């Protein structure tokens, strides 16, 4: 959104392992804005779904969970109905279920409404996800689409999860890319007007400099 008085929104989208989270946090710090990881919201819903023993592909039950769940996603934590689920939402069960949950149009409608409300309450922010520039804030002041080669993305994700081998991370990334890009509801796309940045050969600081430079 541009113009005086409008919330200042920076949208950072891209596939898993493109560097979104690290970069979006650093951009928020540089600009003195708040940061929201919208993927953690979808993961929080998936966690609540699994906790209640619901099949993640049961659209009706999953939508009901999404409408009723209390999510509190901060920079470092994800609280789901008052329970600290920060570690659980990064685990293999949630990672395996989240694509099905995120493909549910009613879940998306609910999360998008909460994301817009988050921005209004804070007067702006840096938001990362898959559909921020395309659906949630198409009029964002800046829309960035981060990419990186599949090998680099798998290596980054494996480095975050010691003990997990790169090949299985690469297979998981391929599966989620396919699911996120081919779903009917808000698939992962490069938003109109988004600046595409390949982070494969850039340092975090290099990516942050490039993004902040786009604002000038
Ligand atoms: O960024 P992540 O890997 O934590 O995202 C988890 C899942 O949620 C992933 O399958 C994509 C989905 N997601 C989405 O559909 N829309 C968003 N705005 C953010 C994440």
């Amino acid at each position: 959104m541009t113009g005086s008085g409008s919330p200042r929104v920076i949208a950072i989208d891209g596939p898993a392992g493109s560097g979104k989270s690290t970069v979006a946090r650093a951009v928020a710090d540089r600009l003195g804005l708040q940061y929201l990881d919208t993927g953690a919201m979808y993961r929080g819903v998936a966690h609540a779904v699994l906790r209640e023993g619901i099949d993640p592909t049961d659209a009706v039950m999953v939508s009901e969970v999404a409408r009723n769940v209390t999510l509190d996603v901060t920079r470092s934590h994800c609280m789901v109905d008052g329970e600290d689920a920060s570690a659980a939402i990064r685990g293999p069960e949630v990672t395996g279920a989240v694509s099905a949950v995120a493909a549910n149009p009613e879940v998306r409608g609910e999360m998008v409404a909460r994301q817009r409300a988050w921005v209004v309450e804070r007067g702006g922010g840096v938001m990362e996800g898959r559909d921020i520039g395309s659906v949630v804030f198409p009029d964002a002041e800046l829309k960035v689409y981060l990419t990186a080669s599949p090998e680099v993305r798998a290596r980054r994700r494996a480095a975050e999860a010691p003990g997990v081998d790169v090949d299985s991370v690469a297979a998981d990334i391929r599966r989620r890319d396919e699911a996120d890009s081919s779903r009917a509801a808000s698939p992962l796309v490069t938003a109109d007007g988004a600046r595409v940045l390949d982070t494969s050969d850039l340092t975090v600081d290099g990516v942050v400099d490039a993004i902040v430079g786009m604002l000038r």
Side-chain angles (χ1 to χ4, degrees):
M1 299 200 176
T2 52
S4 58
S6 301
R8 182 171 205 201
V9 178
I10 313 293
I12 301 187
D13 291 300
S18 57
K20 290 189 308 288
S21 299
T22 310
V23 165
R25 277 196 193 94
V27 169
D29 289 345
R30 285 248 199 125
L31 300 176
L33 293 171
Q34 305 249 0
Y35 155 76
L36 181 63
D37 171 5
T38 62
M41 297 174 70
Y42 290 96
R43 287 174 179 271
V45 176
H47 175 71
V49 163
L50 296 176
R51 186 195 57 199
E52 293 183 26
I54 292 167
D55 174 352
T57 64
D58 182 334
V60 173
M61 296 287 280
V62 169
S63 308
E64 192 176 322
V65 171
R67 275 194 302 276
N68 294 319
V69 71
T70 303
L71 293 174
D72 185 12
V73 175
T74 65
R75 197 185 168 95
S76 56
H77 282 80
C78 175
M79 308 295 290
V80 178
D81 289 327
E83 171 211 352
D84 187 351
S86 314
I89 64 161
R90 305 289 165 198
E93 291 83 9
V94 168
T95 298
V98 69
S99 295
V101 169
N104 180 317
E106 290 189 35
V107 173
R108 302 202 70 82
E110 177 66 29
M111 294 303 114
V112 168
R114 294 188 191 199
Q115 289 153 15
R116 289 179 178 151
W118 182 93
V119 159
V120 170
E121 281 162 20
R122 287 159 184 79
V126 177
M127 201 173 268
E128 64 143 298
R130 303 290 193 288
D131 61 340
I132 309 306
S134 57
V135 174
V136 187
F137 285 104
D139 296 329
E141 179 178 342
L142 175 65
K143 301 193 259 187
V144 181
Y145 186 89
L146 294 184
T147 61
S149 70
E151 297 75 31
V152 168
R153 291 161 52 207
R155 262 189 274 126
R156 286 179 183 159
R157 277 284 152 118
E160 288 166 6
V164 178
D165 74 285
V166 180
D167 289 345
S168 74
V169 174
D172 179 57
I173 283 183
R174 274 196 299 275
R175 184 184 59 74
R176 282 206 293 141
D177 277 359
E178 170 62 22
D180 293 340
S181 305
S182 62
R183 68 181 177 222
S186 308
L188 173 64
V189 290
T190 310
D192 281 349
R195 308 277 297 263
V196 179
L197 193 57
D198 187 328
T199 68
S200 303
D201 300 319
L202 294 174
T203 61
V204 173
D205 278 347
V207 179
V208 175
D209 287 344
I211 293 175
V212 172
M214 290 172 187
L215 286 163
R216 297 205 178 104

